[in-house]
PDB file of all heavy atoms in Angstrom:
ATOM      1  N   ARG N1496      11.567  46.032-151.739  1.00  0.00           N
ATOM      2  CA  ARG N1496      11.973  47.271-152.408  1.00  0.00           C
ATOM      3  C   ARG N1496      10.832  47.800-153.241  1.00  0.00           C
ATOM      4  O   ARG N1496      10.573  49.006-153.321  1.00  0.00           O
ATOM      5  CB  ARG N1496      13.205  46.969-153.270  1.00  0.00           C
ATOM      6  CG  ARG N1496      13.717  48.129-154.028  1.00  0.00           C
ATOM      7  CD  ARG N1496      14.492  49.041-153.035  1.00  0.00           C
ATOM      8  NE  ARG N1496      14.958  50.200-153.755  1.00  0.00           N
ATOM      9  CZ  ARG N1496      14.233  51.293-154.001  1.00  0.00           C
ATOM     10  NH1 ARG N1496      12.988  51.389-153.570  1.00  0.00           N
ATOM     11  NH2 ARG N1496      14.678  52.275-154.692  1.00  0.00           N
ATOM     12  N   GLN N1524       5.900  59.517-149.434  1.00  0.00           N
ATOM     13  CA  GLN N1524       6.357  60.468-150.406  1.00  0.00           C
ATOM     14  C   GLN N1524       5.794  60.144-151.787  1.00  0.00           C
ATOM     15  O   GLN N1524       6.061  59.119-152.338  1.00  0.00           O
ATOM     16  CB  GLN N1524       7.915  60.473-150.457  1.00  0.00           C
ATOM     17  CG  GLN N1524       8.436  61.593-151.362  1.00  0.00           C
ATOM     18  CD  GLN N1524       9.913  61.582-151.496  1.00  0.00           C
ATOM     19  OE1 GLN N1524      10.564  60.523-151.423  1.00  0.00           O
ATOM     20  NE2 GLN N1524      10.530  62.744-151.742  1.00  0.00           N
ATOM     21  N   ALA N1529       7.252  66.618-151.133  1.00  0.00           N
ATOM     22  CA  ALA N1529       8.013  66.450-149.886  1.00  0.00           C
ATOM     23  C   ALA N1529       7.527  65.214-149.152  1.00  0.00           C
ATOM     24  O   ALA N1529       6.323  64.868-149.179  1.00  0.00           O
ATOM     25  CB  ALA N1529       7.840  67.658-149.014  1.00  0.00           C
ATOM     26  N   HIS N1535       5.212  58.055-135.835  1.00  0.00           N
ATOM     27  CA  HIS N1535       6.493  57.640-135.318  1.00  0.00           C
ATOM     28  C   HIS N1535       6.301  56.958-134.001  1.00  0.00           C
ATOM     29  O   HIS N1535       5.348  57.109-133.279  1.00  0.00           O
ATOM     30  CB  HIS N1535       7.488  58.800-135.244  1.00  0.00           C
ATOM     31  CG  HIS N1535       7.312  59.672-134.023  1.00  0.00           C
ATOM     32  ND1 HIS N1535       6.337  60.527-133.923  1.00  0.00           N
ATOM     33  CD2 HIS N1535       8.077  59.741-132.898  1.00  0.00           C
ATOM     34  CE1 HIS N1535       6.423  61.214-132.746  1.00  0.00           C
ATOM     35  NE2 HIS N1535       7.512  60.713-132.078  1.00  0.00           N
ATOM     36  N   GLU N1544       0.158  61.125-136.624  1.00  0.00           N
ATOM     37  CA  GLU N1544      -0.112  62.489-137.095  1.00  0.00           C
ATOM     38  C   GLU N1544      -1.610  62.657-137.271  1.00  0.00           C
ATOM     39  O   GLU N1544      -2.332  61.723-137.629  1.00  0.00           O
ATOM     40  CB  GLU N1544       0.619  62.733-138.398  1.00  0.00           C
ATOM     41  CG  GLU N1544       2.092  62.777-138.273  1.00  0.00           C
ATOM     42  CD  GLU N1544       2.588  63.768-137.292  1.00  0.00           C
ATOM     43  OE1 GLU N1544       2.387  65.002-137.533  1.00  0.00           O
ATOM     44  OE2 GLU N1544       3.141  63.385-136.265  1.00  0.00           O
ATOM     45  N   MET N1575       5.994  56.152-152.535  1.00  0.00           N
ATOM     46  CA  MET N1575       7.177  55.654-151.893  1.00  0.00           C
ATOM     47  C   MET N1575       6.987  55.795-150.368  1.00  0.00           C
ATOM     48  O   MET N1575       6.585  56.801-149.899  1.00  0.00           O
ATOM     49  CB  MET N1575       8.415  56.463-152.347  1.00  0.00           C
ATOM     50  CG  MET N1575       9.661  56.097-151.522  1.00  0.00           C
ATOM     51  SD  MET N1575      10.372  54.547-152.011  1.00  0.00           S
ATOM     52  CE  MET N1575      11.287  55.007-153.516  1.00  0.00           C
ATOM     53  N   LEU N1577       8.885  55.614-146.813  1.00  0.00           N
ATOM     54  CA  LEU N1577      10.228  55.754-146.290  1.00  0.00           C
ATOM     55  C   LEU N1577      10.220  55.487-144.778  1.00  0.00           C
ATOM     56  O   LEU N1577       9.424  56.117-144.063  1.00  0.00           O
ATOM     57  CB  LEU N1577      10.771  57.113-146.609  1.00  0.00           C
ATOM     58  CG  LEU N1577      10.987  57.446-148.093  1.00  0.00           C
ATOM     59  CD1 LEU N1577      11.152  58.948-148.206  1.00  0.00           C
ATOM     60  CD2 LEU N1577      12.103  56.731-148.660  1.00  0.00           C
ATOM     61  N   GLN N1584      14.409  62.206-129.990  1.00  0.00           N
ATOM     62  CA  GLN N1584      13.240  62.725-130.628  1.00  0.00           C
ATOM     63  C   GLN N1584      13.362  64.143-131.176  1.00  0.00           C
ATOM     64  O   GLN N1584      12.592  64.540-131.991  1.00  0.00           O
ATOM     65  CB  GLN N1584      12.082  62.647-129.615  1.00  0.00           C
ATOM     66  CG  GLN N1584      10.686  62.703-130.219  1.00  0.00           C
ATOM     67  CD  GLN N1584       9.616  62.241-129.208  1.00  0.00           C
ATOM     68  OE1 GLN N1584       9.369  61.061-129.177  1.00  0.00           O
ATOM     69  NE2 GLN N1584       9.107  63.169-128.431  1.00  0.00           N
ATOM     70  N   SER N1585      14.317  64.863-130.686  1.00  0.00           N
ATOM     71  CA  SER N1585      14.559  66.199-131.197  1.00  0.00           C
ATOM     72  C   SER N1585      16.003  66.466-131.502  1.00  0.00           C
ATOM     73  O   SER N1585      16.835  65.828-130.921  1.00  0.00           O
ATOM     74  CB  SER N1585      14.063  67.229-130.197  1.00  0.00           C
ATOM     75  OG  SER N1585      12.723  67.080-129.853  1.00  0.00           O
ATOM     76  N   ASN N1586      16.178  67.330-132.463  1.00  0.00           N
ATOM     77  CA  ASN N1586      17.555  67.772-132.755  1.00  0.00           C
ATOM     78  C   ASN N1586      18.536  66.637-133.099  1.00  0.00           C
ATOM     79  O   ASN N1586      19.677  66.667-132.718  1.00  0.00           O
ATOM     80  CB  ASN N1586      18.120  68.572-131.569  1.00  0.00           C
ATOM     81  CG  ASN N1586      19.185  69.526-131.963  1.00  0.00           C
ATOM     82  OD1 ASN N1586      19.277  69.903-133.206  1.00  0.00           O
ATOM     83  ND2 ASN N1586      20.067  69.935-131.065  1.00  0.00           N
ATOM     84  N   GLU N1587      17.987  65.655-133.755  1.00  0.00           N
ATOM     85  CA  GLU N1587      18.830  64.483-134.076  1.00  0.00           C
ATOM     86  C   GLU N1587      18.860  64.214-135.537  1.00  0.00           C
ATOM     87  O   GLU N1587      17.857  64.504-136.242  1.00  0.00           O
ATOM     88  CB  GLU N1587      18.300  63.245-133.377  1.00  0.00           C
ATOM     89  CG  GLU N1587      18.359  63.243-131.833  1.00  0.00           C
ATOM     90  CD  GLU N1587      19.679  62.955-131.283  1.00  0.00           C
ATOM     91  OE1 GLU N1587      20.562  62.563-132.115  1.00  0.00           O
ATOM     92  OE2 GLU N1587      19.879  63.061-130.093  1.00  0.00           O
ATOM     93  N   LYS N1588      19.933  63.718-136.032  1.00  0.00           N
ATOM     94  CA  LYS N1588      20.074  63.351-137.441  1.00  0.00           C
ATOM     95  C   LYS N1588      19.168  62.162-137.741  1.00  0.00           C
ATOM     96  O   LYS N1588      19.093  61.201-136.902  1.00  0.00           O
ATOM     97  CB  LYS N1588      21.526  62.978-137.737  1.00  0.00           C
ATOM     98  CG  LYS N1588      21.898  62.783-139.176  1.00  0.00           C
ATOM     99  CD  LYS N1588      23.422  62.644-139.247  1.00  0.00           C
ATOM    100  CE  LYS N1588      23.866  62.440-140.647  1.00  0.00           C
ATOM    101  NZ  LYS N1588      25.308  62.282-140.721  1.00  0.00           N
ATOM    102  N   LEU N1589      18.510  62.148-138.848  1.00  0.00           N
ATOM    103  CA  LEU N1589      17.671  61.034-139.304  1.00  0.00           C
ATOM    104  C   LEU N1589      18.415  60.176-140.274  1.00  0.00           C
ATOM    105  O   LEU N1589      19.182  60.673-141.149  1.00  0.00           O
ATOM    106  CB  LEU N1589      16.402  61.525-139.954  1.00  0.00           C
ATOM    107  CG  LEU N1589      15.172  61.583-139.044  1.00  0.00           C
ATOM    108  CD1 LEU N1589      15.278  62.575-137.959  1.00  0.00           C
ATOM    109  CD2 LEU N1589      13.898  61.800-139.834  1.00  0.00           C
ATOM    110  N   PHE N1591      17.661  57.255-143.113  1.00  0.00           N
ATOM    111  CA  PHE N1591      16.605  56.665-143.884  1.00  0.00           C
ATOM    112  C   PHE N1591      16.963  55.326-144.552  1.00  0.00           C
ATOM    113  O   PHE N1591      18.125  55.135-144.869  1.00  0.00           O
ATOM    114  CB  PHE N1591      16.192  57.648-145.021  1.00  0.00           C
ATOM    115  CG  PHE N1591      15.334  58.807-144.584  1.00  0.00           C
ATOM    116  CD1 PHE N1591      15.880  59.910-144.012  1.00  0.00           C
ATOM    117  CD2 PHE N1591      13.959  58.735-144.716  1.00  0.00           C
ATOM    118  CE1 PHE N1591      15.092  60.993-143.596  1.00  0.00           C
ATOM    119  CE2 PHE N1591      13.161  59.784-144.314  1.00  0.00           C
ATOM    120  CZ  PHE N1591      13.710  60.905-143.728  1.00  0.00           C
ATOM    121  N   GLY N1592      15.990  54.516-144.710  1.00  0.00           N
ATOM    122  CA  GLY N1592      16.077  53.350-145.558  1.00  0.00           C
ATOM    123  C   GLY N1592      15.934  53.671-147.010  1.00  0.00           C
ATOM    124  O   GLY N1592      15.688  54.855-147.372  1.00  0.00           O
ATOM    125  N   SER N1593      16.037  52.703-147.847  1.00  0.00           N
ATOM    126  CA  SER N1593      15.983  52.893-149.293  1.00  0.00           C
ATOM    127  C   SER N1593      14.551  53.067-149.794  1.00  0.00           C
ATOM    128  O   SER N1593      14.353  53.377-150.999  1.00  0.00           O
ATOM    129  CB  SER N1593      16.602  51.758-150.023  1.00  0.00           C
ATOM    130  OG  SER N1593      18.035  51.694-149.716  1.00  0.00           O
TER     131      SER N1593
ATOM    132  N   TYR T 348      15.419  73.796-134.272  1.00  0.00           N
ATOM    133  CA  TYR T 348      16.623  73.181-133.663  1.00  0.00           C
ATOM    134  C   TYR T 348      17.783  73.095-134.620  1.00  0.00           C
ATOM    135  O   TYR T 348      18.935  73.353-134.342  1.00  0.00           O
ATOM    136  CB  TYR T 348      16.281  71.761-133.180  1.00  0.00           C
ATOM    137  CG  TYR T 348      15.655  71.695-131.831  1.00  0.00           C
ATOM    138  CD1 TYR T 348      14.591  70.832-131.605  1.00  0.00           C
ATOM    139  CD2 TYR T 348      16.116  72.387-130.737  1.00  0.00           C
ATOM    140  CE1 TYR T 348      14.045  70.738-130.366  1.00  0.00           C
ATOM    141  CE2 TYR T 348      15.539  72.278-129.477  1.00  0.00           C
ATOM    142  CZ  TYR T 348      14.486  71.397-129.314  1.00  0.00           C
ATOM    143  OH  TYR T 348      13.906  71.347-128.061  1.00  0.00           O
ATOM    144  N   ASN T 349      17.470  72.649-135.843  1.00  0.00           N
ATOM    145  CA  ASN T 349      18.488  72.424-136.847  1.00  0.00           C
ATOM    146  C   ASN T 349      17.829  72.386-138.194  1.00  0.00           C
ATOM    147  O   ASN T 349      16.609  72.393-138.377  1.00  0.00           O
ATOM    148  CB  ASN T 349      19.268  71.148-136.535  1.00  0.00           C
ATOM    149  CG  ASN T 349      18.348  69.926-136.610  1.00  0.00           C
ATOM    150  OD1 ASN T 349      17.692  69.643-137.613  1.00  0.00           O
ATOM    151  ND2 ASN T 349      18.418  69.076-135.592  1.00  0.00           N
ATOM    152  N   GLN T 351      18.515  70.318-141.947  1.00  0.00           N
ATOM    153  CA  GLN T 351      19.279  69.228-142.574  1.00  0.00           C
ATOM    154  C   GLN T 351      19.131  69.248-144.088  1.00  0.00           C
ATOM    155  O   GLN T 351      18.046  69.569-144.610  1.00  0.00           O
ATOM    156  CB  GLN T 351      18.793  67.834-142.048  1.00  0.00           C
ATOM    157  CG  GLN T 351      18.965  67.702-140.546  1.00  0.00           C
ATOM    158  CD  GLN T 351      18.462  66.386-140.034  1.00  0.00           C
ATOM    159  OE1 GLN T 351      18.828  65.331-140.502  1.00  0.00           O
ATOM    160  NE2 GLN T 351      17.688  66.397-138.949  1.00  0.00           N
ATOM    161  N   GLN T 355      18.532  62.641-152.542  1.00  0.00           N
ATOM    162  CA  GLN T 355      17.689  61.501-152.893  1.00  0.00           C
ATOM    163  C   GLN T 355      17.927  61.185-154.366  1.00  0.00           C
ATOM    164  O   GLN T 355      17.679  62.011-155.240  1.00  0.00           O
ATOM    165  CB  GLN T 355      16.178  61.839-152.679  1.00  0.00           C
ATOM    166  CG  GLN T 355      15.279  60.612-152.861  1.00  0.00           C
ATOM    167  CD  GLN T 355      13.852  60.840-152.457  1.00  0.00           C
ATOM    168  OE1 GLN T 355      13.354  61.967-152.581  1.00  0.00           O
ATOM    169  NE2 GLN T 355      13.209  59.808-152.017  1.00  0.00           N
ATOM    170  N   GLY T 358      13.979  57.039-157.107  1.00  0.00           N
ATOM    171  CA  GLY T 358      13.430  55.760-156.564  1.00  0.00           C
ATOM    172  C   GLY T 358      14.123  55.229-155.317  1.00  0.00           C
ATOM    173  O   GLY T 358      13.970  54.075-154.957  1.00  0.00           O
ATOM    174  N   LYS T 359      14.861  56.094-154.688  1.00  0.00           N
ATOM    175  CA  LYS T 359      15.628  55.634-153.502  1.00  0.00           C
ATOM    176  C   LYS T 359      15.236  56.472-152.241  1.00  0.00           C
ATOM    177  O   LYS T 359      14.489  57.411-152.338  1.00  0.00           O
ATOM    178  CB  LYS T 359      17.149  55.801-153.759  1.00  0.00           C
ATOM    179  CG  LYS T 359      17.693  55.024-154.929  1.00  0.00           C
ATOM    180  CD  LYS T 359      17.846  53.554-154.586  1.00  0.00           C
ATOM    181  CE  LYS T 359      18.431  52.785-155.770  1.00  0.00           C
ATOM    182  NZ  LYS T 359      19.776  53.158-156.017  1.00  0.00           N
ATOM    183  N   GLY T 360      15.805  56.042-151.123  1.00  0.00           N
ATOM    184  CA  GLY T 360      15.610  56.781-149.929  1.00  0.00           C
ATOM    185  C   GLY T 360      16.472  58.056-149.837  1.00  0.00           C
ATOM    186  O   GLY T 360      17.137  58.403-150.757  1.00  0.00           O
ATOM    187  N   LEU T 361      16.482  58.644-148.675  1.00  0.00           N
ATOM    188  CA  LEU T 361      17.231  59.899-148.465  1.00  0.00           C
ATOM    189  C   LEU T 361      18.498  59.647-147.733  1.00  0.00           C
ATOM    190  O   LEU T 361      18.536  58.809-146.801  1.00  0.00           O
ATOM    191  CB  LEU T 361      16.365  60.868-147.624  1.00  0.00           C
ATOM    192  CG  LEU T 361      15.294  61.693-148.301  1.00  0.00           C
ATOM    193  CD1 LEU T 361      14.154  60.798-148.793  1.00  0.00           C
ATOM    194  CD2 LEU T 361      14.752  62.746-147.349  1.00  0.00           C
ATOM    195  N   SER T 363      21.411  61.644-145.653  1.00  0.00           N
ATOM    196  CA  SER T 363      21.777  62.849-144.985  1.00  0.00           C
ATOM    197  C   SER T 363      23.116  63.429-145.466  1.00  0.00           C
ATOM    198  O   SER T 363      24.127  62.623-145.471  1.00  0.00           O
ATOM    199  CB  SER T 363      21.791  62.660-143.445  1.00  0.00           C
ATOM    200  OG  SER T 363      22.054  63.877-142.805  1.00  0.00           O
ATOM    201  N   GLN T 368      23.204  73.004-136.838  1.00  0.00           N
ATOM    202  CA  GLN T 368      22.446  73.364-135.615  1.00  0.00           C
ATOM    203  C   GLN T 368      22.056  74.816-135.725  1.00  0.00           C
ATOM    204  O   GLN T 368      22.649  75.625-136.423  1.00  0.00           O
ATOM    205  CB  GLN T 368      23.351  73.164-134.391  1.00  0.00           C
ATOM    206  CG  GLN T 368      23.859  71.795-134.238  1.00  0.00           C
ATOM    207  CD  GLN T 368      22.784  70.796-133.787  1.00  0.00           C
ATOM    208  OE1 GLN T 368      21.659  71.142-133.624  1.00  0.00           O
ATOM    209  NE2 GLN T 368      23.135  69.512-133.706  1.00  0.00           N
ATOM    210  N   ASN T 410      14.022  71.019-138.346  1.00  0.00           N
ATOM    211  CA  ASN T 410      13.556  70.354-137.144  1.00  0.00           C
ATOM    212  C   ASN T 410      13.046  71.495-136.277  1.00  0.00           C
ATOM    213  O   ASN T 410      13.804  72.347-135.738  1.00  0.00           O
ATOM    214  CB  ASN T 410      14.741  69.583-136.552  1.00  0.00           C
ATOM    215  CG  ASN T 410      14.339  68.695-135.423  1.00  0.00           C
ATOM    216  OD1 ASN T 410      15.179  68.073-134.764  1.00  0.00           O
ATOM    217  ND2 ASN T 410      13.029  68.546-135.140  1.00  0.00           N
ATOM    218  N   ASP T 414       9.415  70.321-130.953  1.00  0.00           N
ATOM    219  CA  ASP T 414       8.587  69.419-131.770  1.00  0.00           C
ATOM    220  C   ASP T 414       9.526  68.322-132.255  1.00  0.00           C
ATOM    221  O   ASP T 414      10.730  68.534-132.305  1.00  0.00           O
ATOM    222  CB  ASP T 414       7.987  70.185-132.938  1.00  0.00           C
ATOM    223  CG  ASP T 414       6.855  69.392-133.588  1.00  0.00           C
ATOM    224  OD1 ASP T 414       6.628  68.268-133.249  1.00  0.00           O
ATOM    225  OD2 ASP T 414       6.209  70.025-134.472  1.00  0.00           O
ATOM    226  N   TYR T 415       8.998  67.229-132.657  1.00  0.00           N
ATOM    227  CA  TYR T 415       9.829  66.105-133.045  1.00  0.00           C
ATOM    228  C   TYR T 415       9.929  66.018-134.572  1.00  0.00           C
ATOM    229  O   TYR T 415      10.615  65.208-135.109  1.00  0.00           O
ATOM    230  CB  TYR T 415       9.301  64.790-132.502  1.00  0.00           C
ATOM    231  CG  TYR T 415       7.875  64.632-132.849  1.00  0.00           C
ATOM    232  CD1 TYR T 415       7.412  64.175-134.060  1.00  0.00           C
ATOM    233  CD2 TYR T 415       6.889  65.007-131.860  1.00  0.00           C
ATOM    234  CE1 TYR T 415       6.055  64.054-134.336  1.00  0.00           C
ATOM    235  CE2 TYR T 415       5.512  64.852-132.149  1.00  0.00           C
ATOM    236  CZ  TYR T 415       5.149  64.387-133.368  1.00  0.00           C
ATOM    237  OH  TYR T 415       3.785  64.278-133.682  1.00  0.00           O
ATOM    238  N   LYS T 416       9.089  66.861-135.251  1.00  0.00           N
ATOM    239  CA  LYS T 416       8.939  66.618-136.681  1.00  0.00           C
ATOM    240  C   LYS T 416       9.971  67.335-137.539  1.00  0.00           C
ATOM    241  O   LYS T 416      10.488  68.379-137.163  1.00  0.00           O
ATOM    242  CB  LYS T 416       7.570  67.196-137.098  1.00  0.00           C
ATOM    243  CG  LYS T 416       6.394  66.568-136.462  1.00  0.00           C
ATOM    244  CD  LYS T 416       5.109  67.206-136.972  1.00  0.00           C
ATOM    245  CE  LYS T 416       3.968  67.000-136.066  1.00  0.00           C
ATOM    246  NZ  LYS T 416       2.727  67.599-136.592  1.00  0.00           N
ATOM    247  N   LEU T 417      10.296  66.692-138.617  1.00  0.00           N
ATOM    248  CA  LEU T 417      11.009  67.403-139.655  1.00  0.00           C
ATOM    249  C   LEU T 417       9.965  67.865-140.728  1.00  0.00           C
ATOM    250  O   LEU T 417       9.187  67.125-141.137  1.00  0.00           O
ATOM    251  CB  LEU T 417      11.963  66.437-140.378  1.00  0.00           C
ATOM    252  CG  LEU T 417      13.328  66.126-139.733  1.00  0.00           C
ATOM    253  CD1 LEU T 417      14.166  65.278-140.705  1.00  0.00           C
ATOM    254  CD2 LEU T 417      14.081  67.425-139.502  1.00  0.00           C
ATOM    255  N   GLY T 420      11.142  70.431-147.501  1.00  0.00           N
ATOM    256  CA  GLY T 420      10.825  71.059-148.796  1.00  0.00           C
ATOM    257  C   GLY T 420      10.600  69.935-149.827  1.00  0.00           C
ATOM    258  O   GLY T 420      10.884  68.772-149.603  1.00  0.00           O
TER     259      GLY T 420
END
Side-chain angles (χ1 to χ4, degrees):
Chain N
R1496 184 74 182 84
Q1524 186 183 27
H1535 81 283
E1544 293 302 296
M1575 172 73 83
L1577 297 165
Q1584 199 163 270
S1585 298
N1586 204 22
E1587 296 278 355
K1588 190 173 179 179
L1589 262 67
F1591 281 82
S1593 296
Chain T
Y348 275 137
N349 62 54
Q351 299 182 48
Q355 186 174 32
K359 299 284 181 67
L361 279 67
S363 180
Q368 301 290 355
N410 191 184
D414 197 353
Y415 51 82
K416 300 181 199 180
L417 277 185

